[in-house]
Amino acid sequence: MDTEKRDEELTDVLDAVGPRLRALRLQRGATLAQLGEATGISVSTLSRLESGHRRPTLELLLPLAKAHRVALDELVGAPETGDPRVRPRPFVRNGSTYVPLTRNFGGVHAFKQILPPLDGPPPEPELRVHEGYEWLYVLSGRLRLLLGEHDLVLTAGEAAEFDTHVPHAFFNAGPQPTEFLSLFGPQGERIHVRARPGVGSTGSTGPAGL
């Protein structure tokens, strides 16, 4: 796992701690003052923790976990040991919806991707290259795949795999949403899934890559 990805995941975990602390306190019907008496942490620090203005540390989380009578893993939202289930949180990038199907622990990542219907003329293709190898499987709709000199349209039940050193791009080729499964490594995720609008993007109907 690269440093940028690891830092993003750590930030996501820490950002979720504050709302979780507030929810636990409200469930117990406790005030900040009462929680401060139980933990020895000042009211101002507790307030900043819950609002996300104070970075949670182990020194602060241990007494809070004890006061709320929960495990430290539950307090920071760590996955349950031995539980293989993935609880996906869909998100949108450049108009496409991504549904994570694997935990972000490095290695190969699986996503279900939903491309919006084609609106207007086909977009100007923007081919991308990066390290890795990719695989995709179309569930529904029509997916146009540009791969080097190839210009293909894949339909439900068709799959493709290719070396990502070859320039590639893909986007919806029909009037209905296109759904497909995709597998790629951290490099592919960083290039495409984590890309922000305006950075190597052509908009909601532009090429989407793995």
Side-chain angles (χ1 to χ4, degrees), residues 78-135:
E80 299 178 12
T81 302
D83 187 350
R85 292 173 296 179
V86 177
R87 297 175 174 82
R89 294 182 179 180
F91 59 91
V92 177
R93 288 288 183 273
N94 305 327
S96 298
T97 300
Y98 292 83
V99 182
L101 303 178
T102 50
R103 296 188 179 120
N104 290 326
F105 291 161
V108 176
H109 295 171
F111 287 87
K112 176 182 177 181
Q113 188 172 346
I114 306 171
L115 301 180
L118 184 63
D119 183 16
E124 184 69 24
E126 179 184 344
L127 302 180
R128 298 170 173 175
V129 297
H130 55 82
E131 297 288 335
Y133 201 79
E134 300 180 1
W135 173 91

Side-chain angles (χ1 to χ4, degrees), residues 23-105:
L24 286 170
R25 178 174 61 82
L26 294 179
Q27 286 175 8
R28 296 179 57 236
T31 65
L32 287 173
Q34 291 171 332
L35 187 58
E37 292 179 2
T39 60
I41 302 173
S42 69
V43 170
S44 62
T45 297
L46 290 172
S47 177
R48 292 177 63 200
L49 278 173
E50 290 188 0
S51 64
H53 293 112
R54 172 67 182 268
R55 188 181 181 91
T57 64
L58 188 61
E59 181 181 7
L60 295 172
L61 292 178
L62 284 174
L64 286 169
K66 183 178 180 180
H68 290 309
R69 299 179 181 177
V70 298
L72 186 60
D73 284 353
E74 182 178 344
L75 202 59
V76 298
E80 299 178 12
T81 302
D83 187 350
R85 292 173 296 179
V86 177
R87 297 175 174 82
R89 294 182 179 180
F91 59 91
V92 177
R93 288 288 183 273
N94 305 327
S96 298
T97 300
Y98 292 83
V99 182
L101 303 178
T102 50
R103 296 188 179 120
N104 290 326
F105 291 161

